[in-house]
Amino acid sequence: MRVADSSTQQASTAEGSRSSRRRFLKQTLVGAVALSASKFIPTEMSTVTIPADVAARLRYFSPLEYLIVQQAAERIVGAPIPGKPGASDVGVAARADVFLATSDPEIQEQIHQLLTVFNNPFFTFLFEFRFSSFVRMKTDDQDSYIEGWLTS
């Protein structure tokens, strides 16, 4: 009797791992298609404004990408504590721009794609059923959106 139970459990476990592999492959395929399609999805470049002195110093990021990274850093770091520097004070996005400007071209392309997918309203709807780009979301929505990305 124990042998039959053991073989049934092994068959069930094997089928479960096939199912999770199949699910993983489907998710990977959807992710690859989304990244490939990101090159063809228009962005909100015309409506983005950052200070002219900051835009002049950018070496890697577009103004929109800079804004995405800046807002994400502010949401991850949290509200400034009196007497302590916040994400803007430290210049997280500017430092990331300098760092990525000297990175491997393949990594640079992947970061551009990631930021496009992360911010684009088409993908925010596809992944989170939200009707706004990341930079246009309210701060509470940005927090929950980032949490979704961190836990997915």
Side-chain angles (χ1 to χ4, degrees):
M1 190 67 148
R2 279 190 168 254
V3 174
D5 290 340
S6 175
S7 63
T8 304
Q9 184 179 21
Q10 287 175 352
S12 173
T13 302
E15 187 172 314
S17 65
R18 268 187 264 142
S19 175
S20 62
R21 274 184 283 196
R22 187 175 301 125
R23 182 172 163 240
F24 172 76
L25 290 173
K26 284 180 184 178
Q27 289 175 337
T28 302
L29 180 61
V30 168
V33 169
L35 285 175
S36 298
S38 71
K39 296 178 185 179
F40 305 108
I41 304 290
T43 60
E44 307 175 64
M45 291 294 288
S46 62
T47 61
V48 173
T49 57
I50 61 172
D53 62 322
V54 173
R57 289 192 310 260
L58 293 178
R59 297 172 39 197
Y60 169 74
F61 289 137
S62 69
L64 176 61
E65 291 170 335
Y66 175 85
L67 190 59
I68 295 166
V69 172
Q70 178 183 337
Q71 287 186 5
E74 288 171 2
R75 301 315 318 145
I76 291 169
V77 171
I81 298 170
K84 298 197 178 195
S88 297
D89 301 322
V90 174
V92 172
R95 290 173 186 254
D97 178 69
V98 170
F99 174 77
L100 289 167
T102 60
S103 293
D104 181 80
E106 186 176 331
I107 292 171
Q108 289 178 337
E109 180 61 29
Q110 290 174 357
I111 296 294
H112 284 307
Q113 288 177 345
L114 172 69
L115 292 172
T116 298
V117 169
F118 182 76
N119 184 63
N120 195 284
F122 172 77
F123 292 109
T124 61
F125 177 76
L126 185 66
F127 297 135
E128 294 277 331
F129 302 111
R130 298 174 190 265
F131 295 100
S132 175
S133 65
F134 175 74
V135 297
R136 301 249 184 258
M137 290 179 192
K138 296 176 184 173
T139 56
D140 290 344
D141 291 336
Q142 285 180 337
D143 289 344
S144 66
Y145 184 64
I146 288 173
E147 185 177 334
W149 272 76
L150 292 173
T151 58
S152 68

mmCIF file of all heavy atoms in Angstrom, residues 92-128:
data_model
loop_
_atom_site.group_PDB
_atom_site.id
_atom_site.type_symbol
_atom_site.label_atom_id
_atom_site.label_comp_id
_atom_site.label_asym_id
_atom_site.label_seq_id
_atom_site.Cartn_x
_atom_site.Cartn_y
_atom_site.Cartn_z
ATOM 1 N N VAL A 92 20.528 60.204 -6.961
ATOM 2 C CA VAL A 92 20.514 58.791 -7.361
ATOM 3 C C VAL A 92 20.447 58.649 -8.886
ATOM 4 O O VAL A 92 21.232 57.916 -9.488
ATOM 5 C CB VAL A 92 19.338 58.040 -6.692
ATOM 6 C CG1 VAL A 92 19.197 56.631 -7.247
ATOM 7 C CG2 VAL A 92 19.516 58.009 -5.193
ATOM 8 N N ALA A 93 19.527 59.357 -9.525
ATOM 9 C CA ALA A 93 19.370 59.230 -10.981
ATOM 10 C C ALA A 93 20.598 59.750 -11.717
ATOM 11 O O ALA A 93 21.032 59.144 -12.706
ATOM 12 C CB ALA A 93 18.115 59.967 -11.439
ATOM 13 N N ALA A 94 21.181 60.842 -11.250
ATOM 14 C CA ALA A 94 22.384 61.384 -11.891
ATOM 15 C C ALA A 94 23.560 60.422 -11.745
ATOM 16 O O ALA A 94 24.332 60.214 -12.683
ATOM 17 C CB ALA A 94 22.730 62.747 -11.292
ATOM 18 N N ARG A 95 23.674 59.810 -10.580
ATOM 19 C CA ARG A 95 24.756 58.829 -10.364
ATOM 20 C C ARG A 95 24.543 57.580 -11.228
ATOM 21 O O ARG A 95 25.495 57.020 -11.760
ATOM 22 C CB ARG A 95 24.838 58.453 -8.889
ATOM 23 C CG ARG A 95 25.354 59.574 -8.019
ATOM 24 C CD ARG A 95 25.253 59.207 -6.546
ATOM 25 N NE ARG A 95 25.612 60.311 -5.711
ATOM 26 C CZ ARG A 95 26.756 60.391 -5.034
ATOM 27 N NH1 ARG A 95 27.640 59.427 -5.101
ATOM 28 N NH2 ARG A 95 26.993 61.445 -4.278
ATOM 29 N N ALA A 96 23.292 57.158 -11.352
ATOM 30 C CA ALA A 96 22.990 56.009 -12.212
ATOM 31 C C ALA A 96 23.320 56.340 -13.668
ATOM 32 O O ALA A 96 23.841 55.500 -14.404
ATOM 33 C CB ALA A 96 21.525 55.608 -12.078
ATOM 34 N N ASP A 97 23.050 57.581 -14.080
ATOM 35 C CA ASP A 97 23.363 58.019 -15.440
ATOM 36 C C ASP A 97 24.862 57.920 -15.707
ATOM 37 O O ASP A 97 25.280 57.380 -16.738
ATOM 38 C CB ASP A 97 22.881 59.455 -15.650
ATOM 39 C CG ASP A 97 23.216 59.988 -17.018
ATOM 40 O OD1 ASP A 97 22.616 59.494 -18.007
ATOM 41 O OD2 ASP A 97 24.079 60.884 -17.114
ATOM 42 N N VAL A 98 25.681 58.412 -14.787
ATOM 43 C CA VAL A 98 27.138 58.363 -14.943
ATOM 44 C C VAL A 98 27.613 56.911 -14.973
ATOM 45 O O VAL A 98 28.439 56.527 -15.815
ATOM 46 C CB VAL A 98 27.831 59.151 -13.806
ATOM 47 C CG1 VAL A 98 29.331 58.910 -13.809
ATOM 48 C CG2 VAL A 98 27.511 60.630 -13.925
ATOM 49 N N PHE A 99 27.091 56.094 -14.066
ATOM 50 C CA PHE A 99 27.497 54.686 -14.005
ATOM 51 C C PHE A 99 27.130 53.944 -15.289
ATOM 52 O O PHE A 99 27.951 53.228 -15.864
ATOM 53 C CB PHE A 99 26.838 54.008 -12.794
ATOM 54 C CG PHE A 99 27.088 52.534 -12.727
ATOM 55 C CD1 PHE A 99 28.305 52.049 -12.303
ATOM 56 C CD2 PHE A 99 26.102 51.636 -13.103
ATOM 57 C CE1 PHE A 99 28.543 50.676 -12.251
ATOM 58 C CE2 PHE A 99 26.326 50.269 -13.052
ATOM 59 C CZ PHE A 99 27.552 49.789 -12.628
ATOM 60 N N LEU A 100 25.895 54.116 -15.755
ATOM 61 C CA LEU A 100 25.428 53.381 -16.931
ATOM 62 C C LEU A 100 26.071 53.873 -18.231
ATOM 63 O O LEU A 100 26.153 53.122 -19.194
ATOM 64 C CB LEU A 100 23.908 53.437 -17.026
ATOM 65 C CG LEU A 100 23.193 52.609 -15.960
ATOM 66 C CD1 LEU A 100 21.711 52.958 -15.902
ATOM 67 C CD2 LEU A 100 23.395 51.125 -16.202
ATOM 68 N N ALA A 101 26.531 55.101 -18.246
ATOM 69 C CA ALA A 101 27.170 55.635 -19.452
ATOM 70 C C ALA A 101 28.438 54.864 -19.800
ATOM 71 O O ALA A 101 28.828 54.810 -20.972
ATOM 72 C CB ALA A 101 27.492 57.113 -19.276
ATOM 73 N N THR A 102 29.059 54.245 -18.811
ATOM 74 C CA THR A 102 30.289 53.485 -19.054
ATOM 75 C C THR A 102 30.065 51.977 -19.015
ATOM 76 O O THR A 102 31.025 51.216 -19.055
ATOM 77 C CB THR A 102 31.367 53.866 -18.013
ATOM 78 O OG1 THR A 102 30.863 53.559 -16.704
ATOM 79 C CG2 THR A 102 31.713 55.340 -18.096
ATOM 80 N N SER A 103 28.819 51.562 -18.943
ATOM 81 C CA SER A 103 28.500 50.126 -18.877
ATOM 82 C C SER A 103 28.581 49.479 -20.248
ATOM 83 O O SER A 103 28.626 50.151 -21.281
ATOM 84 C CB SER A 103 27.093 49.923 -18.309
ATOM 85 O OG SER A 103 27.053 50.315 -16.971
ATOM 86 N N ASP A 104 28.525 48.179 -20.237
ATOM 87 C CA ASP A 104 28.529 47.378 -21.452
ATOM 88 C C ASP A 104 27.327 47.764 -22.320
ATOM 89 O O ASP A 104 26.223 47.926 -21.791
ATOM 90 C CB ASP A 104 28.448 45.898 -21.053
ATOM 91 C CG ASP A 104 28.474 44.971 -22.237
ATOM 92 O OD1 ASP A 104 29.569 44.722 -22.758
ATOM 93 O OD2 ASP A 104 27.381 44.504 -22.622
ATOM 94 N N PRO A 105 27.492 47.905 -23.639
ATOM 95 C CA PRO A 105 26.372 48.294 -24.512
ATOM 96 C C PRO A 105 25.157 47.372 -24.417
ATOM 97 O O PRO A 105 24.022 47.827 -24.522
ATOM 98 C CB PRO A 105 26.978 48.258 -25.919
ATOM 99 C CG PRO A 105 28.437 48.473 -25.697
ATOM 100 C CD PRO A 105 28.744 47.831 -24.370
ATOM 101 N N GLU A 106 25.374 46.097 -24.191
ATOM 102 C CA GLU A 106 24.253 45.165 -24.056
ATOM 103 C C GLU A 106 23.435 45.486 -22.801
ATOM 104 O O GLU A 106 22.206 45.480 -22.828
ATOM 105 C CB GLU A 106 24.756 43.724 -24.003
ATOM 106 C CG GLU A 106 23.642 42.703 -24.006
ATOM 107 C CD GLU A 106 24.160 41.271 -24.053
ATOM 108 O OE1 GLU A 106 25.242 41.033 -24.603
ATOM 109 O OE2 GLU A 106 23.457 40.397 -23.519
ATOM 110 N N ILE A 107 24.125 45.794 -21.718
ATOM 111 C CA ILE A 107 23.443 46.163 -20.482
ATOM 112 C C ILE A 107 22.703 47.480 -20.675
ATOM 113 O O ILE A 107 21.564 47.642 -20.226
ATOM 114 C CB ILE A 107 24.440 46.257 -19.309
ATOM 115 C CG1 ILE A 107 24.961 44.863 -18.974
ATOM 116 C CG2 ILE A 107 23.807 46.915 -18.082
ATOM 117 C CD1 ILE A 107 26.092 44.837 -17.983
ATOM 118 N N GLN A 108 23.329 48.421 -21.369
ATOM 119 C CA GLN A 108 22.681 49.701 -21.635
ATOM 120 C C GLN A 108 21.369 49.503 -22.390
ATOM 121 O O GLN A 108 20.349 50.100 -22.040
ATOM 122 C CB GLN A 108 23.604 50.612 -22.446
ATOM 123 C CG GLN A 108 24.787 51.128 -21.664
ATOM 124 C CD GLN A 108 25.701 51.978 -22.523
ATOM 125 O OE1 GLN A 108 25.724 51.877 -23.746
ATOM 126 N NE2 GLN A 108 26.477 52.829 -21.873
ATOM 127 N N GLU A 109 21.382 48.661 -23.398
ATOM 128 C CA GLU A 109 20.166 48.407 -24.181
ATOM 129 C C GLU A 109 19.090 47.759 -23.316
ATOM 130 O O GLU A 109 17.908 48.104 -23.408
ATOM 131 C CB GLU A 109 20.483 47.518 -25.379
ATOM 132 C CG GLU A 109 19.282 47.191 -26.249
ATOM 133 C CD GLU A 109 18.617 48.416 -26.867
ATOM 134 O OE1 GLU A 109 19.311 49.424 -27.109
ATOM 135 O OE2 GLU A 109 17.404 48.377 -27.106
ATOM 136 N N GLN A 110 19.500 46.836 -22.450
ATOM 137 C CA GLN A 110 18.529 46.172 -21.579
ATOM 138 C C GLN A 110 17.911 47.150 -20.581
ATOM 139 O O GLN A 110 16.711 47.076 -20.296
ATOM 140 C CB GLN A 110 19.192 45.002 -20.845
ATOM 141 C CG GLN A 110 19.539 43.853 -21.754
ATOM 142 C CD GLN A 110 20.333 42.767 -21.055
ATOM 143 O OE1 GLN A 110 20.694 42.879 -19.888
ATOM 144 N NE2 GLN A 110 20.625 41.703 -21.781
ATOM 145 N N ILE A 111 18.695 48.087 -20.077
ATOM 146 C CA ILE A 111 18.162 49.084 -19.145
ATOM 147 C C ILE A 111 17.186 50.008 -19.864
ATOM 148 O O ILE A 111 16.120 50.341 -19.335
ATOM 149 C CB ILE A 111 19.303 49.889 -18.477
ATOM 150 C CG1 ILE A 111 20.175 48.990 -17.613
ATOM 151 C CG2 ILE A 111 18.746 51.065 -17.677
ATOM 152 C CD1 ILE A 111 19.489 48.401 -16.405
ATOM 153 N N HIS A 112 17.522 50.419 -21.095
ATOM 154 C CA HIS A 112 16.592 51.236 -21.881
ATOM 155 C C HIS A 112 15.255 50.499 -22.066
ATOM 156 O O HIS A 112 14.183 51.087 -21.893
ATOM 157 C CB HIS A 112 17.168 51.575 -23.265
ATOM 158 C CG HIS A 112 18.216 52.633 -23.265
ATOM 159 N ND1 HIS A 112 18.040 53.879 -22.697
ATOM 160 C CD2 HIS A 112 19.459 52.645 -23.793
ATOM 161 C CE1 HIS A 112 19.128 54.602 -22.870
ATOM 162 N NE2 HIS A 112 20.003 53.876 -23.532
ATOM 163 N N GLN A 113 15.317 49.218 -22.405
ATOM 164 C CA GLN A 113 14.098 48.428 -22.596
ATOM 165 C C GLN A 113 13.321 48.300 -21.288
ATOM 166 O O GLN A 113 12.089 48.429 -21.268
ATOM 167 C CB GLN A 113 14.436 47.048 -23.151
ATOM 168 C CG GLN A 113 14.882 47.070 -24.585
ATOM 169 C CD GLN A 113 15.270 45.681 -25.084
ATOM 170 O OE1 GLN A 113 15.472 44.759 -24.313
ATOM 171 N NE2 GLN A 113 15.364 45.545 -26.392
ATOM 172 N N LEU A 114 14.022 48.038 -20.210
ATOM 173 C CA LEU A 114 13.371 47.903 -18.907
ATOM 174 C C LEU A 114 12.629 49.186 -18.539
ATOM 175 O O LEU A 114 11.472 49.142 -18.115
ATOM 176 C CB LEU A 114 14.394 47.570 -17.827
ATOM 177 C CG LEU A 114 13.870 47.602 -16.386
ATOM 178 C CD1 LEU A 114 12.893 46.461 -16.150
ATOM 179 C CD2 LEU A 114 15.008 47.547 -15.407
ATOM 180 N N LEU A 115 13.264 50.322 -18.703
ATOM 181 C CA LEU A 115 12.624 51.589 -18.352
ATOM 182 C C LEU A 115 11.426 51.880 -19.251
ATOM 183 O O LEU A 115 10.424 52.428 -18.795
ATOM 184 C CB LEU A 115 13.641 52.734 -18.398
ATOM 185 C CG LEU A 115 14.719 52.664 -17.306
ATOM 186 C CD1 LEU A 115 15.786 53.725 -17.543
ATOM 187 C CD2 LEU A 115 14.118 52.785 -15.929
ATOM 188 N N THR A 116 11.526 51.496 -20.528
ATOM 189 C CA THR A 116 10.396 51.674 -21.438
ATOM 190 C C THR A 116 9.214 50.827 -20.984
ATOM 191 O O THR A 116 8.086 51.308 -20.897
ATOM 192 C CB THR A 116 10.789 51.303 -22.877
ATOM 193 O OG1 THR A 116 11.837 52.173 -23.307
ATOM 194 C CG2 THR A 116 9.615 51.416 -23.824
ATOM 195 N N VAL A 117 9.470 49.567 -20.692
ATOM 196 C CA VAL A 117 8.400 48.664 -20.251
ATOM 197 C C VAL A 117 7.843 49.119 -18.904
ATOM 198 O O VAL A 117 6.633 49.133 -18.693
ATOM 199 C CB VAL A 117 8.912 47.209 -20.185
ATOM 200 C CG1 VAL A 117 7.919 46.301 -19.481
ATOM 201 C CG2 VAL A 117 9.206 46.692 -21.582
ATOM 202 N N PHE A 118 8.718 49.512 -18.002
ATOM 203 C CA PHE A 118 8.302 49.930 -16.655
ATOM 204 C C PHE A 118 7.373 51.133 -16.691
ATOM 205 O O PHE A 118 6.427 51.216 -15.920
ATOM 206 C CB PHE A 118 9.544 50.247 -15.820
ATOM 207 C CG PHE A 118 9.244 50.631 -14.404
ATOM 208 C CD1 PHE A 118 8.894 49.667 -13.468
ATOM 209 C CD2 PHE A 118 9.326 51.955 -13.995
ATOM 210 C CE1 PHE A 118 8.619 50.017 -12.155
ATOM 211 C CE2 PHE A 118 9.052 52.311 -12.687
ATOM 212 C CZ PHE A 118 8.708 51.345 -11.767
ATOM 213 N N ASN A 119 7.612 52.062 -17.586
ATOM 214 C CA ASN A 119 6.858 53.323 -17.593
ATOM 215 C C ASN A 119 5.699 53.365 -18.578
ATOM 216 O O ASN A 119 4.734 54.082 -18.361
ATOM 217 C CB ASN A 119 7.805 54.487 -17.904
ATOM 218 C CG ASN A 119 7.105 55.816 -17.834
ATOM 219 O OD1 ASN A 119 6.622 56.215 -16.784
ATOM 220 N ND2 ASN A 119 7.022 56.503 -18.962
ATOM 221 N N ASN A 120 5.754 52.627 -19.645
ATOM 222 C CA ASN A 120 4.785 52.780 -20.721
ATOM 223 C C ASN A 120 3.376 52.371 -20.295
ATOM 224 O O ASN A 120 3.175 51.302 -19.716
ATOM 225 C CB ASN A 120 5.227 51.938 -21.923
ATOM 226 C CG ASN A 120 4.484 52.324 -23.170
ATOM 227 O OD1 ASN A 120 3.325 51.968 -23.324
ATOM 228 N ND2 ASN A 120 5.156 53.057 -24.046
ATOM 229 N N PRO A 121 2.370 53.217 -20.578
ATOM 230 C CA PRO A 121 0.990 52.904 -20.167
ATOM 231 C C PRO A 121 0.469 51.581 -20.735
ATOM 232 O O PRO A 121 -0.323 50.903 -20.082
ATOM 233 C CB PRO A 121 0.170 54.074 -20.708
ATOM 234 C CG PRO A 121 1.132 55.171 -20.906
ATOM 235 C CD PRO A 121 2.451 54.534 -21.205
ATOM 236 N N PHE A 122 0.911 51.212 -21.929
ATOM 237 C CA PHE A 122 0.484 49.932 -22.503
ATOM 238 C C PHE A 122 0.898 48.781 -21.599
ATOM 239 O O PHE A 122 0.100 47.896 -21.283
ATOM 240 C CB PHE A 122 1.085 49.761 -23.910
ATOM 241 C CG PHE A 122 0.854 48.396 -24.497
ATOM 242 C CD1 PHE A 122 -0.390 48.061 -25.014
ATOM 243 C CD2 PHE A 122 1.868 47.454 -24.513
ATOM 244 C CE1 PHE A 122 -0.617 46.791 -25.551
ATOM 245 C CE2 PHE A 122 1.651 46.194 -25.046
ATOM 246 C CZ PHE A 122 0.409 45.860 -25.569
ATOM 247 N N PHE A 123 2.144 48.810 -21.141
ATOM 248 C CA PHE A 123 2.645 47.732 -20.298
ATOM 249 C C PHE A 123 2.116 47.830 -18.872
ATOM 250 O O PHE A 123 1.896 46.804 -18.227
ATOM 251 C CB PHE A 123 4.168 47.692 -20.318
ATOM 252 C CG PHE A 123 4.712 47.286 -21.652
ATOM 253 C CD1 PHE A 123 5.350 48.215 -22.462
ATOM 254 C CD2 PHE A 123 4.563 45.999 -22.119
ATOM 255 C CE1 PHE A 123 5.842 47.845 -23.703
ATOM 256 C CE2 PHE A 123 5.046 45.620 -23.353
ATOM 257 C CZ PHE A 123 5.695 46.550 -24.155
ATOM 258 N N THR A 124 1.900 49.044 -18.360
ATOM 259 C CA THR A 124 1.316 49.149 -17.018
ATOM 260 C C THR A 124 -0.091 48.573 -17.013
ATOM 261 O O THR A 124 -0.498 47.954 -16.036
ATOM 262 C CB THR A 124 1.300 50.603 -16.492
ATOM 263 O OG1 THR A 124 0.523 51.414 -17.354
ATOM 264 C CG2 THR A 124 2.691 51.155 -16.335
ATOM 265 N N PHE A 125 -0.812 48.747 -18.112
ATOM 266 C CA PHE A 125 -2.136 48.129 -18.215
ATOM 267 C C PHE A 125 -2.017 46.615 -18.355
ATOM 268 O O PHE A 125 -2.718 45.857 -17.694
ATOM 269 C CB PHE A 125 -2.930 48.701 -19.394
ATOM 270 C CG PHE A 125 -4.264 48.035 -19.561
ATOM 271 C CD1 PHE A 125 -5.311 48.344 -18.700
ATOM 272 C CD2 PHE A 125 -4.463 47.078 -20.532
ATOM 273 C CE1 PHE A 125 -6.544 47.708 -18.828
ATOM 274 C CE2 PHE A 125 -5.694 46.441 -20.663
ATOM 275 C CZ PHE A 125 -6.732 46.757 -19.797
ATOM 276 N N LEU A 126 -1.098 46.169 -19.208
ATOM 277 C CA LEU A 126 -0.927 44.743 -19.464
ATOM 278 C C LEU A 126 -0.541 43.975 -18.199
ATOM 279 O O LEU A 126 -1.077 42.906 -17.925
ATOM 280 C CB LEU A 126 0.139 44.538 -20.557
ATOM 281 C CG LEU A 126 0.378 43.130 -21.040
ATOM 282 C CD1 LEU A 126 -0.851 42.591 -21.761
ATOM 283 C CD2 LEU A 126 1.590 43.097 -21.966
ATOM 284 N N PHE A 127 0.362 44.538 -17.401
ATOM 285 C CA PHE A 127 0.869 43.834 -16.231
ATOM 286 C C PHE A 127 0.096 44.131 -14.946
ATOM 287 O O PHE A 127 -0.007 43.280 -14.071
ATOM 288 C CB PHE A 127 2.346 44.170 -15.995
ATOM 289 C CG PHE A 127 3.246 43.733 -17.123
ATOM 290 C CD1 PHE A 127 4.225 44.581 -17.601
ATOM 291 C CD2 PHE A 127 3.108 42.502 -17.713
ATOM 292 C CE1 PHE A 127 5.055 44.192 -18.635
ATOM 293 C CE2 PHE A 127 3.931 42.101 -18.749
ATOM 294 C CZ PHE A 127 4.914 42.951 -19.217
ATOM 295 N N GLU A 128 -0.420 45.344 -14.794
ATOM 296 C CA GLU A 128 -1.020 45.761 -13.526
ATOM 297 C C GLU A 128 -2.444 46.300 -13.658
ATOM 298 O O GLU A 128 -3.003 46.784 -12.688
ATOM 299 C CB GLU A 128 -0.148 46.843 -12.870
ATOM 300 C CG GLU A 128 1.213 46.350 -12.436
ATOM 301 C CD GLU A 128 1.184 45.671 -11.087
ATOM 302 O OE1 GLU A 128 0.328 46.030 -10.257
ATOM 303 O OE2 GLU A 128 2.009 44.783 -10.865
#
